[in-house]
Amino acid sequence: MPRPQPSEITFSIDGREVKAPEDMMLADAAKLGDIEIPVFCYEPKLGPPVGACRMCLVEIEGMPKLQTACSTAVKDGMVVHTRSERARVAQEAVVEFLLINHPLDCPVCDKGGECPLQDITFGWGGGKSRFIEPKRHFRKPLELSPLIAIDRERCILCYRCVRYSQEIPEDYQLVLLERGAESFVGTFDGHPYVAPFSGNIVELCPVGALTSRPYRFRARPWEIEDAGSICTLCPAQCNTRLTVRDERVLRVLDRNHPEVDDGWLCDKGRFAYQAMHVDERITSPMIRDGGVLREVGWDRALAEAVGALRRGGSATAALAGGGATNEEGLLLGRLLREVLGSSHLDSRDGEAVSLPHWRALANPKLAARVSDLEFAHAVLVLDCEPLDDMPILDLRLRKGARRNGVKLLIATERASALDSRADAAIRFAPGRGAELAWALAAALRGEPVDAAAQAAGIATDDLHALADALRDAGREIVILYGERVLDGDPGALLALADALGLAEQDGGGLLGVPAVANGRGLREAGVTPNAGPGLGLPALAGGHGAREIARRLASGELTALYLLQVDPVLHYSDAELWERALARATTVVAHASFLTPGLREHATVIFPAETSPEKEGTITHPDGRVQRLRVAAAHAGDVRAEWRVLAEIIERLGGAPTPPTARALSEALFEDVPFYGGLTLDGLAGRGLRWPELQVSNTLSDAYEEAEPKLRKPLRAAKGKLLVGTYRSIWAAPEVAASPALAFLTPRQRVELAAADAEALELRHDEAVVISDGEREVRARVVLRAAAPAGTAFLERELEEDGANVLRGPHVTIRTVASVEAEAAALIAAEEARAAAETETLAQAEAEQVT
Amino acid sequence: MTQALLFKDIDEPNLADIAVYERRGGYEQLRKVLSMSQDAVLSELDASGLRGRGGAGFPAGRKASFLPKGDMDKYLVCNADESEPGTFKDRELMQKCPHALIEGIVIAARAGGINRAFIYIRGEYEEQAQILDRAIAQAYDAGYLGERILGSDVSVSLVLHRGAGAYICGEETGLLDSLEGKRGNPRLKPPFPAIEGLYGGPTLINNVETLMTMPQILRMGGNKYAELGVSGSSGTKIVSVSGHVQRPGNYEIELGIPSREIIYGLAGGPPPGRSVKLWFPGGSSAPVLTAEDLDVPYDFDSLAKAGSMLGSGAIIVVDDSTPVLDVALKTARFYRHESCGKCTPCREGTNWTVKMLERIEAGEATPMDLDIMASVQEQIIGNCLCVLGDAMAMPIGSMIAKFRGEFEKHMQRAQLTGASA
């Protein structure tokens, strides 16, 4: 559905002539004339207005009754009076009604001081109270969930939270119970409201009825500072507003950016700020001394790192991840390529993607922006689970499908949370996203599909149905893909984009979800083995990608590893190879906030990493929006700016001097990356800029020659075995485990099975099992999922314990822990019996000897 | 005086059976509309001047003409929730003559170009629902419902849906939400149901009596029907008379006769020795009238001029043996209980009003509270999402205005007895 293009009209409000887009709701249009109309239930983010609270009653000439400004579309020539006698009386009446049952506990209410009910009472209320009867009472406060407290006495029944639950994440958990004056917000049977986006209701609540449990009683509005920031816990890079008191972040709120987050946050982004201020966080440098990590001063740690890197020289490799900024990426590239003489650096798992592929993928003509998801004719979700990989997009996709009729098509290996919203969904074999893309491209082009479909593990009928749905949807199509789809053959996705003619469409294109928050920015800053800053030719050729780096470290060809906010043992696939690689490396220098398994065992020097509120620099959103991070809170403990640490190391190793300030460094970045040319920090301001929209952006050539598909062999079923697929949960993050409020969500390994497979393997729901690929094992609990594709077991990656990253697949066996233990016990018993027999024989022989 | 159209055969034994209904001329109008154009049916309805019999009194023909033309899914919903206190006309009509409703539904569907119809009946009407179930099955068997009715190209499906007993589900948009399986809350209008109603499709919603009148209009011809009654209130109306009258029940009257003729002539007036103190002319949500208003003609416009409304045509008579406070409290408690809670003035206003009336009853109020109560009613009227709030505020407001002296006397008495207790 194309974006609406409303025409401009003029209307009169309280005697002012105001211009506004036609059909804008009066409550919003009034603001264009600097007139505020009070509202409680109205919140445009929640969809169509409901007119429930009646706070916004205004007088419109020609209409006999007062009208709700929230639901009245503004028309040319409309004459509105918001403060006429009739309107004023009605507004005072509504305030009076709302206060009837509202307790006057403002002095102890968290909302006090930032409460719309307080503000509107002062602004539009009658200033008197005539209600002397007893107010209604509820038990309070109650836990609505471990994260949210509900005070039903304070609730003014505006419906916002209930509408949110039903209209935005569509979880339908919150409902209004009872009726009339007895109504209250609750859940079915009192179940806790636990959901990935539950925290948004706290911010939606116009009174103190829903409060954040971690924030309750921590601060009053007049004691806090507000600081704009960006969440760097995932690629969504949601814009946030931090509540800071005494240099500690106490709360995270949304900072509505329609092109980024649409004004919502996930619970990870909202509550994981707690991890900034926990004891487990690394806040001073450490070195390994006598096999044990211990805290040291900066000088000692820097000297240690510099010495080790000098020894490592061109045998040094580097990886970057997490929320590392573009500037840090730039410096990491300079350190490796210009100072140490190595080009082995990467910012993503797996094999290296070629430079022509990266350049073609970054072509501005192919770039979709986030809001296109909401207005395109169709969106194809390819090889990613938005809810886990870039959570906020889950809400955006639902919005597009719900409000604008965007056709939602899903092609993933694992069942998606969006399936129930989708017009079509197909499943391919684990890891075969590239083959699926080739098959789909072939189907769209009318070419033979059998080989690719077989390699992708899908039925050709399903494939053609999906292709038909895409073809019939309309011109503007967005492909939202997980960067995993580039593994195997990056050309597949480009072929699919070509088959759909995406380069010719304004409202469509590609939107890639990287594995880490600033995946795109790090790549564009040059943290990729075969490209320098700006996807230019690297200063040094012959760089290896992450997987090859692991192999070469394990074989001893490379000896030192520099880790910028990444622990490959935790984050990358084939954890066992990485375990060997890190064990073999003589030097592992890491910037980290938490001691993850690989660092705990193998890091030789650890520098404390910054969290995003402490950082200065820029990051790049998956849709090319360069966003600015500003310091919002002071560094915890001995933490230093990471770019300064990198600059110091470069300098001590004799490299060229780094610009002296963060601002100058950002300017250097904009100079080094040609398509960032023209950006300035002031220009980025609080909203950022999308470089694909800039005039200078087209420095990437369109020249890309499609090559023959490289298809892997089809995955065959094996008797008694299942294919293994992996995914990363939204909650798999050290920050979640470290935040006291979120810790209850920390995932434990679970193996997702189709009922038929579980039955064949005689496994029950919640049974403890051992999953083995023949050499490596993972323990898990069985979870039966109706939507799970048969023949494949799905396990979670990136868990500190029993992460599926260790498994190589493609097949695994699953046995119950009980049977494995029984077998082991039998083996031990047999061994003991054999040993006992042997002892007896020996004793006999001895006895015979004695005699 | 009484003019029997809907009630002409109402006491015919077994009229609920299709054979008896057909013998009395039933389904002849259905056959007729099958060969009429949609516009022709609409113009008959328009000519009849029929105003909706559910409460709002909106011209039925015009309502049907609001539905957009086109091939989209359109719906007809028969509102058989009959939840307005004092109203029991639809119950008798459905119980005794269900086929006339079915016939009316097909006619209305024809007028609106609709082929999917529902009857939403209140849960308490289980007996009537079972009768309708049987009648609908018979009508399907006889080919009066379903695909290609009687071989024509008109198709109308009909589903009977039982509500769970909530006043608000008689409000047309609350009814639609309930019918969709949601909590029965009224919706914001616009969009009006004629444009976006059930399942988002254009929807025509009519009361049982309105639909049952349609076969009569077709039979007589719209112009002929319009000759009945008075200007602005054509035709006949079933009036449910209850309360302090000697012969309570449903009476079919020609609109425009003096109210006194209904209350005294048909229903026999209050028991001997008592007199009418107040009466609700159109259900419990109508502002009350007094004995002085008994000569007001019983039609839409005259009652409106007298400061009340014809509503659903339910006359509740209260004689001088009952304190007005009891009437007010009973009325207010009903609406507090039935308020859905969605919009503020209704939710809080009904609740507050009951609490104030309880204080008056308990002798804890002063005349100032009457002013507050009157102003609270003013604060409700016209400010709500639907008319439920007004439905309490209008009668309560009228009682305070007309019986202020009695309220004050009660306060004084209650204060004295309260003090002595």
Side-chain angles (χ1 to χ4, degrees):
Chain A
M1 190 192 117
R3 288 163 204 255
Q5 305 284 349
S7 55
E8 191 176 69
I9 55 97
T10 307
F11 73 109
S12 153
I13 182 163
D14 293 352
R16 297 180 195 181
E17 295 283 305
V18 177
K19 287 190 192 307
E22 184 166 21
D23 287 337
M24 183 182 235
M25 289 305 164
L26 188 50
D28 295 322
K31 292 178 194 160
L32 302 176
D34 278 342
I35 285 169
E36 187 180 355
I37 297 175
V39 294
F40 288 112
C41 70
Y42 182 55
E43 168 52 69
K45 289 195 294 184
L46 293 176
V50 291
C53 76
R54 319 304 290 176
M55 189 62 239
C56 61
L57 287 170
V58 295
E59 194 171 349
I60 298 172
E61 286 185 13
M63 300 222 189
K65 284 169 81 174
L66 298 178
Q67 299 293 313
T68 44
C70 71
S71 64
T72 305
V74 72
K75 300 282 179 205
D76 198 44
M78 200 178 242
V79 182
V80 184
H81 304 283
T82 75
R83 301 301 282 155
S84 68
E85 178 66 13
R86 274 178 74 205
R88 213 178 43 71
V89 167
Q91 289 157 2
E92 283 181 15
V94 174
V95 170
E96 181 176 39
F97 283 138
L98 286 172
L99 292 177
I100 278 183
N101 274 316
H102 190 80
L104 295 177
D105 61 351
C106 307
V108 295
C109 176
D110 262 355
K111 200 80 175 182
E114 52 181 27
C115 173
L117 181 60
Q118 270 183 338
D119 295 346
I120 290 172
T121 299
F122 274 90
W124 287 266
K128 62 182 190 300
S129 180
R130 301 184 294 174
F131 182 81
I132 57 170
E133 283 79 8
K135 292 175 189 266
R136 64 181 193 157
H137 287 292
F138 286 106
R139 253 186 67 211
K140 69 175 206 172
L142 296 174
E143 274 184 37
L144 186 65
S145 80
L147 296 168
I148 302 164
I150 183 165
D151 182 328
R152 295 190 169 122
E153 293 184 347
R154 291 180 188 155
C155 175
I156 58 166
L157 298 167
C158 71
Y159 267 73
R160 279 189 184 196
C161 54
V162 173
R163 279 164 68 208
Y164 169 79
S165 161
Q166 300 181 354
E167 302 258 340
I168 308 300
E170 301 181 321
D171 58 38
Y172 291 90
Q173 289 195 53
L174 287 183
V175 287
L176 221 56
L177 297 160
E178 284 296 338
R179 65 183 185 193
E182 310 292 319
S183 310
F184 63 91
V185 171
T187 57
F188 172 73
D189 221 13
H191 285 289
Y193 179 41
V194 175
F197 305 97
S198 70
N200 290 311
I201 62 170
V202 172
E203 228 174 311
L204 283 171
C205 184
V207 294
L210 296 167
T211 46
S212 150
R213 296 189 69 220
Y215 181 66
R216 266 172 84 80
F217 308 129
R218 294 295 192 284
R220 304 313 307 261
W222 49 89
E223 300 165 332
I224 57 176
E225 292 167 89
D226 233 12
S229 188
I230 294 164
C231 175
T232 57
L233 291 173
C234 89
Q237 296 182 8
C238 296
N239 289 198
T240 58
R241 219 156 23 103
L242 307 179
T243 294
V244 183
R245 182 186 182 192
D246 295 339
E247 300 295 359
R248 285 170 74 94
V249 176
L250 291 185
R251 180 170 67 167
V252 178
L253 302 171
D254 81 68
R255 180 164 58 89
N256 190 350
H257 193 320
E259 283 293 335
V260 176
D261 45 53
D262 212 19
W264 307 118
L265 292 178
C266 73
D267 284 2
K268 180 164 69 171
R270 186 178 294 276
F271 295 106
Y273 68 86
Q274 288 188 317
M276 281 182 71
H277 308 296
V278 293
D279 292 344
E280 301 98 289
R281 181 174 168 203
I282 301 167
T283 52
S284 39
M286 293 195 273
I287 61 165
R288 194 169 296 273
D289 190 3
V292 183
L293 283 169
R294 67 176 178 89
E295 291 187 358
V296 293
W298 273 99
D299 261 355
R300 176 75 200 281
L302 282 165
E304 197 79 23
V306 165
L309 290 171
R310 187 175 285 127
R311 286 191 296 279
S314 62
T316 304
L319 301 171
T325 60
N326 299 340
E327 289 76 2
E328 289 158 11
L330 183 76
L331 292 182
L332 188 67
R334 287 186 182 176
L335 171 66
L336 267 274
R337 294 199 175 101
E338 292 169 21
V339 181
L340 298 172
S342 159
S343 200
H344 313 308
L345 74 167
D346 208 346
S347 47
R348 66 185 289 277
D349 189 11
E351 307 289 353
V353 172
S354 77
L355 183 53
H357 281 128
W358 280 136
R359 293 176 66 94
L361 286 165
N363 183 352
K365 286 188 186 161
L366 274 177
R369 52 184 169 143
V370 171
S371 60
D372 288 339
L373 296 172
E374 204 181 304
F375 295 102
H377 292 112
V379 175
L380 172 66
V381 174
L382 175 60
D383 207 1
C384 65
E385 169 56 282
L387 182 63
D388 287 325
D389 301 338
M390 196 163 163
I392 220 66
L393 293 191
D394 177 88
L395 302 183
R396 188 68 77 117
L397 292 165
R398 289 174 189 278
K399 181 182 179 188
R402 185 182 189 96
R403 298 199 205 153
N404 300 336
V406 176
K407 209 169 191 180
L408 190 54
L409 307 165
I410 313 238
T412 53
E413 47 185 58
R414 179 172 168 251
S416 168
L418 289 163
D419 281 350
S420 59
R421 258 272 161 231
D423 293 274
I426 65 168
R427 302 279 102 88
F428 53 81
R432 294 305 172 91
E435 281 76 3
L436 183 276
W438 275 122
L440 200 49
L444 286 164
R445 288 166 169 168
E447 292 167 2
V449 298
D450 288 354
Q454 249 181 22
I458 45 164
T460 48
D461 286 353
D462 294 348
L463 178 72
H464 284 298
L466 184 65
D468 290 345
L470 273 170
R471 202 182 290 118
D472 300 342
R475 292 163 295 108
E476 297 172 2
I477 293 170
V478 179
I479 303 179
L480 178 70
Y481 66 95
E483 283 193 1
R484 287 215 280 173
V485 79
L486 304 177
D487 294 339
D489 185 355
L493 178 68
L494 288 162
L496 178 56
D498 174 69
L500 288 167
L502 294 189
E504 285 86 53
Q505 294 306 333
D506 266 355
L510 297 177
L511 183 55
V513 181
V516 297
N518 192 28
R520 177 165 187 161
L522 287 169
R523 179 162 70 241
E524 291 176 350
V527 188
T528 188
N530 38 34
L535 301 178
L537 283 175
L540 273 175
H544 297 305
R547 179 66 55 79
E548 190 58 26
I549 289 173
R551 291 189 199 110
R552 284 170 192 252
L553 281 166
S555 70
E557 274 173 81
L558 296 173
T559 58
L561 182 62
Y562 199 103
L563 298 173
L564 193 57
Q565 297 189 22
V566 60
D567 177 355
V569 174
L570 178 64
H571 296 126
Y572 286 4
S573 52
D574 209 343
E576 199 230 352
L577 171 66
W578 277 107
E579 183 75 40
R580 280 189 282 124
L582 265 64
R584 183 84 191 263
T586 51
T587 299
V588 177
V589 179
H591 292 238
S593 289
F594 294 96
L595 273 183
T596 48
L599 307 186
R600 197 180 297 126
E601 295 299 320
H602 305 294
T604 51
V605 181
I606 296 181
F607 298 120
E610 297 169 286
T611 55
S612 65
E614 297 162 342
K615 257 187 204 301
E616 257 184 297
T618 60
I619 52 178
T620 307
H621 187 276
D623 81 350
R625 178 174 301 274
V626 181
Q627 305 202 85
R628 181 182 176 191
L629 282 169
R630 275 172 293 194
V631 175
H635 284 125
D638 289 336
V639 178
R640 284 185 187 177
E642 281 168 279
W643 73 266
R644 283 194 188 279
V645 177
L646 283 159
E648 175 88 18
I649 291 171
I650 289 171
E651 197 179 323
R652 289 198 190 192
L653 285 168
T658 302
T661 62
R663 175 176 281 269
L665 178 58
S666 295
E667 280 160 12
L669 170 83
F670 300 152
E671 231 166 79
D672 277 16
V673 178
F675 44 76
Y676 289 178
L679 292 179
T680 62
L681 283 183
D682 295 335
L684 296 182
R687 310 260 88 174
L689 286 169
R690 277 189 76 227
W691 70 256
E693 287 171 20
L694 299 178
Q695 288 305 314
V696 292
S697 66
N698 213 354
T699 54
L700 298 165
S701 76
D702 287 346
Y704 167 74
E705 295 268 324
E706 189 175 315
E708 279 296 298
K710 279 183 278 179
L711 301 174
R712 286 164 286 191
K713 275 192 218 137
L715 292 165
R716 305 264 175 230
K719 198 168 180 298
K721 292 181 174 182
L722 295 175
L723 292 170
V724 62
T726 64
Y727 66 99
R728 179 185 58 187
S729 151
I730 172 177
W731 308 117
E735 289 83 0
V736 170
S739 297
L742 287 178
F744 78 103
L745 291 165
T746 311
R748 297 216 178 84
Q749 189 56 275
R750 33 181 268 163
V751 55
E752 230 173 65
L753 295 177
D757 291 332
E759 204 179 341
L761 295 168
E762 296 182 353
L763 297 172
R764 284 172 294 110
H765 185 79
D766 203 37
E767 194 158 24
V769 292
V770 177
I771 297 103
S772 164
D773 66 359
E775 289 176 45
R776 293 150 290 258
E777 285 183 353
V778 163
R779 290 192 171 216
R781 293 257 169 200
V782 172
V783 171
L784 297 184
R785 189 173 175 193
T792 308
F794 282 97
L795 289 146
E796 288 199 33
R797 278 196 316 272
E798 304 189 32
L799 303 185
E800 297 224 3
E801 259 179 62
D802 286 314
N805 317 36
V806 297
L807 298 175
R808 255 192 213 153
H811 292 102
V812 288
T813 55
I814 306 180
R815 303 166 60 199
T816 63
V817 167
S819 72
V820 171
E821 279 173 357
E823 201 169 286
L827 276 175
I828 291 167
E831 176 65 18
E832 278 173 353
R834 198 188 54 76
E838 205 166 273
T839 317
E840 199 160 305
T841 324
L842 277 174
Q844 262 179 15
E846 224 166 87
E848 274 166 24
Q849 237 173 14
V850 171
T851 52
Chain B
M1 185 88 151
T2 54
Q3 170 79 34
L5 290 178
L6 300 186
F7 269 5
K8 190 162 134 283
D9 297 325
I10 202 75
D11 291 321
E12 177 81 14
N14 287 328
L15 185 61
D17 187 75
I18 193 165
V20 178
Y21 182 68
E22 282 175 324
R23 219 162 37 236
R24 307 295 303 195
Y27 286 117
E28 272 169 22
Q29 308 314 314
L30 180 146
R31 286 173 195 277
K32 193 153 94 191
V33 294
L34 293 179
S35 57
M36 287 168 73
S37 72
Q38 185 183 344
D39 285 341
V41 181
L42 269 176
S43 72
E44 288 299 326
L45 293 180
D46 250 343
S48 75
L50 174 68
R51 290 173 68 168
R53 301 302 196 223
F58 196 82
R62 242 172 76 209
K63 198 171 184 177
S65 69
F66 287 155
L67 260 71
K69 307 274 186 288
D71 286 339
M72 70 284 266
D73 282 336
K74 288 185 269 190
Y75 301 93
L76 172 69
V77 178
C78 166
N79 185 347
D81 195 62
E82 192 160 61
S83 43
E84 179 73 15
T87 317
F88 40 85
K89 61 189 175 69
D90 296 342
R91 179 175 60 183
E92 184 173 356
L93 288 169
M94 289 187 289
Q95 182 173 327
K96 293 184 173 168
C97 196
H99 285 287
L101 177 57
I102 296 169
E103 189 172 10
I105 284 172
V106 175
I107 293 168
R110 189 81 191 93
I114 298 165
N115 47 30
R116 286 185 170 83
F118 293 86
I119 299 173
Y120 183 96
I121 190 167
R122 62 183 299 168
E124 293 89 334
Y125 282 1
E126 181 53 32
E127 187 189 344
Q128 289 72 24
Q130 287 180 13
I131 290 167
L132 277 169
D133 273 335
R134 268 197 307 277
I136 291 168
Q138 286 179 339
Y140 266 105
D141 286 346
Y144 294 131
L145 287 172
E147 294 292 313
R148 309 186 63 82
I149 293 173
L150 302 178
S152 69
D153 55 359
V154 177
S155 301
V156 178
S157 67
L158 177 60
V159 173
L160 178 74
H161 181 91
R162 290 160 166 84
Y167 181 76
I168 193 61
C169 293
E171 195 281 333
E172 58 181 13
T173 58
L175 184 154
L176 294 179
D177 263 20
S178 173
L179 192 52
E180 288 178 5
K182 300 173 188 157
R183 180 187 164 101
N185 277 2
R187 301 176 182 173
L188 190 66
K189 291 187 276 192
F192 290 94
I195 306 301
E196 201 180 314
L198 190 65
Y199 306 119
T203 305
L204 177 62
I205 306 172
N206 281 130
N207 168 258
V208 171
E209 187 187 345
T210 313
L211 290 165
M212 286 178 81
T213 306
M214 291 184 184
Q216 301 296 336
I217 291 169
L218 268 288
R219 184 177 59 78
M220 297 170 69
N223 290 320
K224 196 82 189 147
Y225 181 88
E227 288 172 14
L228 292 171
V230 293
S231 163
S233 298
S234 63
T236 65
K237 173 87 187 83
I238 314 282
V239 183
S240 308
V241 190
S242 63
H244 295 138
V245 288
Q246 300 185 60
R247 289 190 297 277
N250 286 322
Y251 298 94
E252 184 166 14
I253 57 135
E254 193 174 340
L255 286 166
I257 65 169
S259 304
R260 187 185 297 277
E261 273 184 44
I262 305 170
I263 295 174
Y264 280 91
L266 295 170
R274 301 207 221 143
S275 59
V276 172
K277 176 183 198 167
L278 61 90
W279 54 291
F280 297 81
S284 65
S285 56
V288 297
L289 297 176
T290 63
E292 287 167 25
D293 305 307
L294 281 170
D295 291 316
V296 172
Y298 197 78
D299 63 64
F300 286 101
D301 299 335
S302 304
L303 287 166
K305 216 188 299 167
S308 188
M309 62 187 199
L310 186 136
S312 60
I315 297 179
I316 306 169
V317 179
V318 178
D319 70 18
D320 52 3
S321 67
T322 304
V324 70
L325 177 64
D326 290 8
V327 182
L329 200 46
K330 189 138 194 142
T331 308
R333 277 186 179 144
F334 173 81
Y335 288 103
R336 175 178 71 171
H337 183 68
E338 295 295 345
S339 170
C340 78
K342 185 170 181 174
C343 82
T344 309
C346 172
R347 180 183 69 234
E348 305 295 346
T350 55
N351 183 38
W352 191 3
T353 302
V354 169
K355 286 182 173 177
M356 282 190 285
L357 287 168
E358 284 172 347
R359 271 200 298 120
I360 294 174
E361 191 184 34
E364 291 165 7
T366 66
M368 196 182 78
D369 287 305
L370 285 176
D371 295 332
I372 296 178
M373 197 155 66
S375 109
V376 167
Q377 310 315 309
E378 291 296 314
Q379 289 183 182
I380 297 171
I381 293 172
N383 290 344
C384 298
L385 181 65
C386 79
V387 293
L388 196 153
D390 294 21
M392 180 207 69
M394 290 191 301
I396 300 293
S398 70
M399 284 179 231
I400 299 169
K402 291 179 177 164
F403 296 94
R404 192 178 173 103
E406 190 184 327
F407 277 106
E408 284 178 0
K409 255 186 225 138
H410 182 94
M411 281 180 200
Q412 287 163 3
R413 211 170 36 241
Q415 269 165 1
L416 290 174
T417 52
S420 65

